[in-house]
Amino acid sequence: MPRCDGFSLLEMLVVLLIVGLFSALGVAALDAGQAPMRQALAQLANDARAQAAQARHGGQLLGLRWNGRQPEFVRWQVAQGRGAWRVEGARSTPWPAQLQPDWPRSAEPQVIFTPSGLARPVALTWRWPEGSQRWQWRADNTLEIAIQP
């Protein structure tokens, strides 16, 4: 009986299947570090757009600030002749601890949404160990997001 020293088609298919499986697992593991950051930023961007719309249509002053641990939305309220920024509500999901802005902690909002648009154009960079995103608000309340490596 003649002997072949090659691989059979079945053996090659099994090897390709195993290599493909490990490749898929490797790609998923590499992206797992950025997924929570991008999800948190996508949710925050949607919330910011909603706040801008609420300010425009509701005739209110709303803002976004960094409290040192997470971003928070605030509303300008006047009580007893004095105005102050009050927190709108707590976040429903925890903020990733590694995700930090280039803004300082502040009692005043860095982004102020008004009925006529943004109080002033603002730029912000969100950073985490695997990447960053650059946000830029324009005077008409539009938000542009650029993903940076």
Side-chain angles (χ1 to χ4, degrees):
M1 178 186 277
R3 187 162 192 239
C4 290
D5 287 336
F7 295 105
S8 72
L9 180 60
L10 182 59
E11 291 170 330
M12 290 298 287
L13 288 174
V14 168
V15 168
L16 287 175
L17 177 69
I18 291 171
V19 168
L21 180 64
F22 282 130
S23 296
L25 291 174
V27 168
L30 289 175
D31 191 44
Q34 293 198 27
M37 309 304 174
R38 289 190 177 153
Q39 288 174 352
L41 288 173
Q43 181 63 47
L44 181 63
N46 288 337
D47 293 345
R49 289 181 182 109
Q51 290 287 318
Q54 183 178 354
R56 182 178 296 260
H57 300 297
Q60 304 170 14
L61 288 177
L62 302 172
L64 174 63
R65 70 182 181 194
W66 177 252
N67 69 9
R69 292 184 323 270
Q70 65 184 10
E72 59 187 10
F73 290 101
V74 292
R75 174 187 309 272
W76 181 256
Q77 291 183 336
V78 178
Q80 300 173 354
R82 293 183 39 204
W85 292 102
R86 305 280 184 226
V87 177
E88 276 289 285
R91 290 186 56 83
S92 59
T93 58
W95 188 255
Q98 297 173 327
L99 187 54
Q100 300 287 318
D102 61 357
W103 285 345
R105 177 183 178 168
S106 175
E108 299 293 319
Q110 287 83 1
V111 181
I112 300 175
F113 305 107
T114 71
S116 60
L118 211 60
R120 68 182 187 286
V122 178
L124 161 68
T125 301
W126 292 100
R127 299 185 197 288
W128 63 95
E130 294 87 16
S132 64
Q133 272 189 13
R134 178 87 173 149
W135 288 17
Q136 187 159 354
W137 276 275
R138 305 222 182 272
D140 63 351
N141 277 346
T142 58
L143 173 60
E144 292 182 8
I145 299 174
I147 299 173
Q148 301 172 332

